[in-house]
Structure formats: C-alpha cells, structure tokens
Amino acid sequence: GKKVLIVYAHQEPKSLNGSLKRVAVEELSKQGCSVTVSDLYAMQFEPRATRNDIVGCLHNSEEFNYGVEAWEAYKRGGLSSDLIEEQKKVQEADLLIFQFPLYWFSMPAIMKGWMDRVLVQGFAHEFPNCYDSGLLKNKLALFSFTTGGSKEMYAKGGISGDIRYLLWPMQHGIMHFCGVKVLAPHICFAPEYVSEEKRKEMLIAWAQRLKTLWKEEPINCSPEWYFK
C-alpha cells in the first residue's frame, strides 16, 4: 500500500477542514494506504525557525545563519527531534496532503513554519538539485484548502484574481522546488457562506476524488499553468 502524510492545520476538529481531513484518512485507509497525520495545532508545532532547532555546537558561533546551521545540523544528524520526526514522515510518504484554511492568500503561519523548519537544505533540496531534480522527487503533493471568498472572487476577472496566482508560491516555490510533483489543488470555496447541504456535497466530492487519486497526472509545473 501507498503511504500518505496529511499535514493538517486547523484548530477545530468539527470544522470543514477537520471533516476533509477525516474523509481523507477514511477513504485512503479503505484503499489500503497507510495514513499518518501531523495535526500541527494539536502537536503545538513550533513554527519559528530558531537556534533551538540545532542540537549541540554551531557551525559558526560568531554569526547565526539559520539556513547554513540547519543544513550542517542535518548532515551530522544534529537537528531537534521534532524536525527529525517530521522529516522521517516526509521521507516515507508517497503523497503529501496539506489541509488548511486559506489565510491572507496563503497557508496559516503554523503550516508555513512547518515548511520553513522541515524542508531544510540537504534534506529537501541542495542547489543545483532543485525543481525537477529536487531531493524529494518521486513524491506527490496536493493542497486541499478552504477559502473565505467565493469562486467568483477568485476567478481571473474577480476582485481577488485567479486562485492559481496564490498557488504559485506554495506549489511551485516550495513543493516543485523540492522536486515534488503536484496534483491539481482541491478547493472548497466559502464553506461558511453555503448551506449544510452544500458542505455535505463538498465532503462527498472530496471522497469521490480520493477514490481515483492515484490515477491522476500531476499538473504541468510551469509558469504557464499559473499565469496563462
């Protein structure tokens, strides 16, 4: 069976995000996948990249450079235990699902902190090994999220611009940079402003998609997909 890691960022299990996460766990487990969830709020995951991430002596004690120190610590097995744990989950996963509510055109800070701290140089990328040759190639990722605004607001001519513009830093700048192939995002627009019936339909649509997820082709990871 395939291995799936769901990185989940919502404070309330009864939220639509909580239900989407639960549906994914149930549906993928039914298929024989082994599913791990990193519930960032429940774990009280530390989003800040600090000196505490480095165990033992610094590479350069005169001047702290997080990128360099994290890279050096990764090479010698000197990252903090919470990071080693998350990296192990990523390493084992065939598919990463990120489940979250859109905050200010981006992911919540706790999830961005997960990206900042977990995807260090040496583990996820190492120039020139980035984009198609990133160190996490052969993995898939899928961003599943809810929005406050309606689908019309996030259309090309809408007030918020095409939703794909917002996906560029997340899907291309982080995932593709690390070599991960990206599946089309799963977006639930404005769940707070629709009927209970509509929200149920959103969950059913997600369960349906998950049934054939492994047959999907990744998006064409080029600027054209986002900005055409």
Side-chain angles (χ1 to χ4, degrees), residues 67-104:
V68 170
E69 294 298 343
W71 183 26
E72 292 294 337
Y74 174 74
K75 287 190 283 193
R76 62 177 165 78
L79 286 172
S80 59
S81 58
D82 60 335
L83 296 191
I84 290 170
E85 183 62 28
E86 292 307 298
Q87 287 176 345
K88 191 161 157 274
K89 294 177 195 174
V90 171
Q91 199 71 66
E92 289 175 355
D94 299 295
L95 168 67
L96 309 168
I97 295 178
F98 296 96
Q99 182 65 59
F100 60 97
L102 197 68
Y103 280 7
W104 294 117

XYZ file of all heavy atoms in Angstrom, residues 67-104:
316
model
N 19.850 29.037 7.727
C 19.936 28.115 6.585
C 21.187 27.248 6.641
O 21.122 26.026 6.472
N 22.316 27.905 6.892
C 23.601 27.182 6.947
C 23.627 26.221 8.144
O 24.004 25.058 8.021
C 24.778 28.183 7.035
C 26.085 27.457 7.332
C 24.891 28.989 5.743
N 23.182 26.713 9.304
C 23.225 25.887 10.515
C 22.308 24.662 10.405
O 22.662 23.558 10.826
C 22.863 26.711 11.759
C 23.871 27.813 12.094
C 25.277 27.305 12.431
O 25.438 26.100 12.723
O 26.218 28.122 12.403
N 21.115 24.869 9.828
C 20.176 23.745 9.680
C 20.749 22.712 8.704
O 20.619 21.505 8.905
C 18.816 24.248 9.202
N 21.386 23.197 7.654
C 21.997 22.312 6.659
C 23.112 21.487 7.301
O 23.172 20.261 7.162
C 22.520 23.175 5.502
C 23.130 22.416 4.348
C 22.857 21.141 3.965
C 24.103 22.925 3.435
N 23.596 20.808 2.848
C 24.370 21.892 2.495
C 24.768 24.143 3.285
C 25.282 22.039 1.450
C 25.665 24.297 2.235
C 25.916 23.255 1.334
N 24.000 22.174 8.016
C 25.115 21.481 8.681
C 24.584 20.483 9.725
O 25.078 19.365 9.835
C 26.058 22.497 9.360
C 26.825 23.383 8.384
C 27.818 22.621 7.517
O 28.254 21.519 7.913
O 28.153 23.127 6.421
N 23.562 20.909 10.485
C 22.990 20.033 11.518
C 22.335 18.809 10.881
O 22.450 17.688 11.394
C 21.968 20.803 12.352
N 21.667 19.018 9.747
C 21.036 17.884 9.054
C 22.097 16.851 8.671
O 21.916 15.653 8.891
C 20.271 18.351 7.805
C 19.740 17.189 7.009
C 18.647 16.456 7.457
C 20.381 16.752 5.835
C 18.182 15.346 6.768
C 19.928 15.651 5.133
C 18.828 14.947 5.611
O 18.380 13.838 4.929
N 23.206 17.340 8.130
C 24.269 16.429 7.662
C 24.842 15.583 8.801
O 25.163 14.428 8.608
C 25.395 17.220 6.975
C 24.990 17.743 5.602
C 26.160 18.317 4.821
C 26.550 19.684 5.309
N 27.477 20.401 4.397
N 24.933 16.180 10.004
C 25.533 15.423 11.123
C 24.477 14.827 12.057
O 24.796 14.332 13.143
C 26.515 16.296 11.901
C 25.918 17.510 12.560
C 26.955 18.295 13.372
N 26.467 19.619 13.704
C 25.602 19.884 14.677
N 25.124 18.906 15.432
N 25.216 21.136 14.911
N 23.186 14.884 11.633
C 22.127 14.322 12.485
C 21.886 15.158 13.729
O 21.515 14.627 14.780
N 22.119 16.470 13.610
C 22.008 17.339 14.783
C 20.809 18.275 14.786
O 20.860 19.326 15.421
N 19.736 17.910 14.076
C 18.514 18.719 14.152
C 17.692 18.282 15.366
O 17.833 17.154 15.840
C 17.675 18.555 12.881
C 18.198 19.248 11.614
C 17.374 18.822 10.407
C 18.187 20.771 11.751
N 16.822 19.158 15.845
C 15.985 18.822 17.009
C 15.066 17.646 16.676
O 14.717 17.419 15.516
C 15.183 20.037 17.455
O 14.359 20.484 16.403
N 14.655 16.918 17.697
C 13.929 15.656 17.495
C 12.598 15.846 16.766
O 12.187 14.991 15.984
C 13.700 14.957 18.831
O 12.972 15.821 19.683
N 11.909 17.002 16.993
C 10.627 17.200 16.302
C 10.824 17.311 14.792
O 10.002 16.827 14.009
C 9.864 18.419 16.860
C 10.629 19.730 16.735
O 11.877 19.705 16.669
O 9.980 20.800 16.710
N 11.940 17.897 14.371
C 12.215 18.020 12.927
C 12.600 16.680 12.317
O 12.155 16.333 11.223
C 13.322 19.044 12.673
C 12.992 20.478 13.064
C 14.030 21.442 12.531
C 11.614 20.873 12.548
N 13.415 15.925 13.039
C 13.823 14.604 12.551
C 12.581 13.726 12.362
O 12.440 13.022 11.366
C 14.840 13.957 13.520
C 16.176 14.716 13.426
C 15.027 12.475 13.217
C 17.196 14.358 14.480
N 11.648 13.838 13.314
C 10.397 13.076 13.264
C 9.577 13.429 12.022
O 9.101 12.548 11.293
C 9.605 13.410 14.546
C 8.309 12.656 14.725
C 8.488 11.152 14.841
O 9.552 10.695 15.305
O 7.554 10.440 14.431
N 9.422 14.730 11.757
C 8.642 15.167 10.587
C 9.342 14.785 9.286
O 8.705 14.367 8.318
C 8.388 16.686 10.629
C 7.468 17.155 11.740
C 6.134 16.428 11.768
O 5.383 16.531 10.784
O 5.846 15.752 12.775
N 10.650 14.914 9.248
C 11.397 14.553 8.041
C 11.259 13.068 7.746
O 11.153 12.666 6.586
C 12.875 14.949 8.190
C 13.070 16.455 8.101
C 14.505 16.885 8.342
O 15.325 16.124 8.850
N 14.810 18.121 7.982
N 11.228 12.261 8.795
C 11.052 10.815 8.620
C 9.687 10.538 7.980
O 9.569 9.726 7.062
C 11.178 10.131 9.983
C 11.281 8.628 9.932
C 11.877 8.086 11.256
C 11.483 6.639 11.453
N 10.166 6.484 12.117
N 8.645 11.235 8.444
C 7.297 11.060 7.876
C 7.290 11.455 6.394
O 6.686 10.782 5.564
C 6.277 11.930 8.621
C 6.030 11.553 10.075
C 5.049 12.569 10.686
C 5.016 12.517 12.196
N 4.175 13.606 12.747
N 7.961 12.562 6.076
C 8.017 13.025 4.675
C 8.763 12.000 3.824
O 8.322 11.624 2.738
C 8.705 14.412 4.573
C 8.954 14.799 3.110
C 7.862 15.482 5.264
N 9.893 11.557 4.343
C 10.738 10.593 3.626
C 9.955 9.334 3.251
O 10.090 8.804 2.156
C 11.923 10.208 4.536
C 13.083 9.606 3.796
C 13.826 10.636 2.953
O 14.435 11.544 3.478
N 13.759 10.485 1.646
N 9.118 8.868 4.171
C 8.384 7.616 3.945
C 7.163 7.785 3.052
O 6.658 6.822 2.494
C 7.942 7.037 5.301
C 9.111 6.482 6.100
C 8.707 6.026 7.495
O 7.534 6.235 7.877
O 9.576 5.474 8.198
N 6.664 9.017 2.929
C 5.393 9.243 2.223
C 5.537 9.221 0.699
O 6.511 9.732 0.152
C 4.796 10.577 2.654
N 4.541 8.617 0.046
C 4.437 8.718 -1.417
C 3.673 9.984 -1.791
O 3.879 10.561 -2.853
C 3.662 7.509 -1.977
C 4.357 6.192 -1.668
O 5.476 5.999 -2.189
O 3.815 5.382 -0.900
N 2.759 10.380 -0.907
C 1.888 11.535 -1.154
C 1.802 12.397 0.103
O 1.617 11.883 1.199
C 0.477 11.049 -1.534
C -0.653 12.080 -1.549
C -0.469 13.120 -2.646
C -2.016 11.394 -1.710
N 1.941 13.717 -0.095
C 1.756 14.686 0.989
C 0.470 15.454 0.702
O 0.318 16.023 -0.386
C 2.917 15.684 1.029
C 4.337 15.106 1.037
C 5.357 16.208 0.774
C 4.636 14.439 2.370
N -0.459 15.453 1.652
C -1.672 16.266 1.511
C -1.598 17.382 2.551
O -1.388 17.114 3.739
C -2.959 15.435 1.728
C -3.101 14.374 0.630
C -4.201 16.349 1.737
C -4.333 13.463 0.801
N -1.737 18.625 2.097
C -1.751 19.764 3.008
C -3.191 20.248 3.121
O -3.794 20.635 2.122
C -0.827 20.875 2.490
C 0.608 20.442 2.441
C 1.173 19.950 1.265
C 1.399 20.484 3.585
C 2.485 19.505 1.228
C 2.717 20.047 3.563
C 3.262 19.555 2.382
N -3.745 20.180 4.330
C -5.158 20.534 4.557
C -5.232 21.754 5.472
O -4.757 21.708 6.610
C -5.886 19.344 5.196
C -7.364 19.583 5.438
C -8.133 19.757 4.131
O -8.133 18.867 3.278
N -8.759 20.921 3.948
N -5.829 22.846 4.974
C -5.792 24.097 5.742
C -6.819 25.108 5.226
O -7.284 25.004 4.100
C -4.387 24.715 5.657
C -3.944 25.044 4.250
C -4.069 26.326 3.726
C -3.396 24.062 3.425
C -3.671 26.621 2.427
C -2.989 24.345 2.123
C -3.131 25.632 1.619
N -7.135 26.120 6.049
C -7.933 27.237 5.566
C -6.980 28.300 4.999
O -5.900 28.522 5.562
C -8.607 27.760 6.845
C -7.667 27.392 7.950
C -6.876 26.189 7.504
N -7.357 28.927 3.913
C -6.516 29.981 3.331
C -6.530 31.197 4.253
O -7.596 31.689 4.620
C -7.078 30.358 1.948
C -6.143 31.125 1.019
C -4.979 30.263 0.551
C -6.915 31.634 -0.196
N -5.345 31.643 4.667
C -5.213 32.858 5.494
C -4.458 33.895 4.665
O -3.323 33.628 4.264
C -4.364 32.569 6.739
C -5.050 31.873 7.896
C -6.350 31.382 7.807
C -4.370 31.706 9.101
C -6.952 30.746 8.886
C -4.972 31.071 10.184
C -6.251 30.597 10.078
O -6.833 29.968 11.143
N -5.047 35.054 4.447
C -4.331 36.127 3.753
C -3.608 35.638 2.489
O -2.417 35.849 2.320
C -3.326 36.801 4.701
C -3.966 37.532 5.838
C -3.832 37.266 7.163
C -4.857 38.657 5.750
N -4.583 38.139 7.918
C -5.224 39.009 7.074
C -5.388 39.387 4.687
C -6.085 40.058 7.366
C -6.248 40.439 4.975
C -6.589 40.765 6.300
